[in-house]
């Protein structure tokens, strides 16, 4: 079985940038993922569950493990000397990673990260995940970091992925050459190729949405939900929603389905953040043969204007996403 490192080297000809750099980026990500996995698996014992008592930039109750995961990723990227800046859900502003002057590796990568998404599920033992997105620095290397380095369209990503901390810990990524999954063998601390060339199944099977918000949804979304529930053709579809984007996404990628977090009357821009949740998941979606939009526009083409901006987010099976967009478009007429 390939390890993640062996797989990257085996496929180095298909990566547009330096394989050495990609290995260093993954060295940081793997190190952090293993540290977080260890804590997530025993959170109940180490009292790391529950709220930290801090409200984060999103106005959400920061969990102790959120803060821990944030710190672990910052430290692991610092130690590998390959990243020049990080934007995190847990930090209001971007973080500059100062390098040593003699650093042989020109630090030209930007990372945007949700260190621990779905963390409200920690206390109830439901799968949670890390989501990461990597770009080349946009402004000249020798220039100080600027916000423009982070406000890049999703179609400029060079690497995106997630780690799901569930019944097993799986790292899933894309560099634009398909989507591949690696399962952690905790006994040796190594990620092994377990899901090569992940692709959304043809079957239209699952729809994932928080129907508790039904009355606040736009009419086009309400019509799509009723479409999913009709007794016709291969419907009704199965409803599955665990309140953890990484968990819902990973299940739909394996079994076939659509994930929907639309705008509502209370959240006109939706809840999910464009830069470190929707863009990476959209890159993975398209590389796995799916479609990702805000209900009208392709996610990867959205021009960002602020670090923590939100967007409505629909991703998954091409036919299901297109059907939802049809309902949304007819809404206007
Ligand atoms: P709601 C977790 O907070 C998250 O960002 C995603 O992981 C998840 O899909 C969504 O929000 C759940 O939100 O409003 O349905 O509880």
């Amino acid at each position: 079985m390939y390890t993640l490192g062996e797989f990257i080297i085996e496929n180095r000809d298909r990566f547009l940038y330096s394989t050495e750099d990609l290995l260093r980026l993954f060295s940081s990500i793997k190190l952090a993922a293993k540290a977080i996995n260890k804590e997530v698996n025993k959170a109940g014992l180490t009292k790391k569950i529950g709220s930290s008592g801090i409200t984060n930039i999103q106005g959400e109750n920061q969990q102790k493990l959120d803060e821990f995961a944030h710190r672990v990723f910052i430290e692991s990227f610092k130690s590998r000397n390959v990243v020049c800046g990080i934007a995190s859900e847990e930090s209001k502003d971007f973080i500059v990673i100062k390098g040593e002057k003699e650093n042989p590796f020109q630090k030209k990568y930007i990372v945007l990260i949700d260190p621990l998404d779905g963390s409200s599920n920690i206390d109830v033992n439901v799968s949670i995940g890390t989501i990461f997105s990597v770009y080349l620095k946009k402004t000249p290397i020798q220039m100080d970091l600027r916000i423009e380095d982070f406000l890049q369209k999703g179609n400029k990503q060079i690497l995106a992925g997630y780690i799901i901390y569930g019944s097993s810990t799986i790292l899933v990524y894309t560099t634009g050459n398909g989507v591949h999954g690696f399962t952690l063998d905790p006994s040796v601390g190594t990620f092994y190729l377990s899901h090569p060339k992940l692709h959304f199944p043809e079957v239209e099977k699952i729809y994932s949405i928080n129907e508790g918000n039904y009355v606040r949804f736009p009419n086009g979304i309400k019509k799509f939900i009723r479409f999913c529930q009709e007794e016709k053709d291969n419907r009704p579809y199965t409803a599955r929603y665990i309140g953890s984007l990484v968990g819902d996404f990973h299940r739909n990628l394996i079994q076939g389905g659509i994930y929907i977090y639309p705008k509502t009357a209370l959240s006109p821009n939706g809840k999910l953040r464009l830069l470190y949740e929707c863009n990476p998941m959209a890159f993975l979606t398209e590389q796995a043969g799916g479609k990702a939009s805000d209900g009208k526009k392709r996610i990867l083409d959205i021009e960002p204007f602020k670090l923590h901006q939100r967007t409505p987010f629909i991703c998954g099976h091409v036919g299901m996403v297109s059907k939802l967009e049809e309902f949304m478009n007819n809404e206007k007429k």
Side-chain angles (χ1 to χ4, degrees), residues 88-294:
S88 165
E89 183 191 55
E90 301 305 328
S91 169
K92 180 172 176 295
D93 301 310
F94 62 78
I95 299 154
V96 179
I97 308 287
K98 291 273 183 221
E100 296 75 38
K101 287 281 171 282
E102 67 289 334
N103 168 28
F105 293 87
Q106 271 288 13
K107 292 170 345 109
K108 51 181 172 291
Y109 299 98
I110 298 283
V111 176
L112 296 108
I113 191 161
D114 184 351
L116 208 55
D117 179 74
S119 50
S120 53
N121 287 304
I122 293 168
D123 298 5
V124 294
N125 214 25
V126 166
S127 299
I128 53 181
T130 296
I131 307 171
F132 58 89
S133 169
V134 180
Y135 294 80
L136 287 173
K137 185 173 187 292
K138 186 178 178 182
T139 55
I141 286 280
Q142 59 280 11
M143 259 178 76
D144 286 348
L145 269 181
R146 303 161 70 105
I147 189 66
E148 300 92 285
D149 289 314
F150 296 87
L151 300 182
Q152 301 187 51
K153 285 184 180 180
N155 57 34
K156 296 290 186 199
Q157 291 176 96
I158 66 165
L159 165 65
Y162 59 81
I163 299 120
I164 180 168
Y165 308 99
S167 48
S168 57
T169 297
I170 302 176
L171 186 155
V172 176
Y173 84 91
T174 186
T175 54
N177 298 299
V179 177
H180 311 285
F182 298 78
T183 299
L184 176 66
D185 176 344
S187 65
V188 290
T190 303
F191 283 93
Y192 289 99
L193 180 63
S194 52
H195 300 74
K197 297 182 187 140
L198 278 163
H199 202 275
F200 280 97
E202 276 313 304
V203 66
E204 300 174 334
K205 187 172 175 193
I206 296 166
Y207 71 103
S208 303
I209 186 168
N210 182 343
E211 293 192 51
N213 295 322
Y214 184 86
V215 293
R216 300 176 185 140
F217 286 150
N219 286 330
I221 298 290
K222 291 178 180 174
K223 284 184 181 154
F224 180 74
I225 292 172
R226 288 199 293 275
F227 171 82
C228 293
Q229 295 168 344
E230 262 179 347
E231 191 93 49
K232 196 175 176 187
D233 305 331
N234 57 346
R235 288 169 282 143
Y237 300 141
T238 298
R240 286 283 183 280
Y241 188 78
I242 65 168
S244 174
L245 168 60
V246 173
D248 282 317
F249 181 93
H250 189 72
R251 181 202 55 244
N252 292 353
L253 174 56
I254 306 277
Q255 296 184 345
I258 184 173
Y259 171 93
I260 309 160
Y261 207 103
K263 66 180 183 181
T264 67
L266 294 182
S267 315
N269 296 310
K271 172 183 182 183
L272 301 182
R273 273 69 57 158
L274 173 65
L275 292 179
Y276 42 80
E277 290 175 331
C278 302
N279 272 339
M281 299 312 254
F283 189 14
L284 289 160
T285 297
E286 292 193 359
Q287 283 292 311
K291 187 175 187 182
S293 85
D294 63 1

Side-chain angles (χ1 to χ4, degrees), residues 50-66:
S51 165
S52 64
I54 299 165
T55 303
N56 70 10
I57 165 74
Q58 320 298 338
E60 291 168 348
N61 206 343
Q62 186 181 70
Q63 302 296 313
K64 290 174 187 163
L65 270 177
D66 277 339

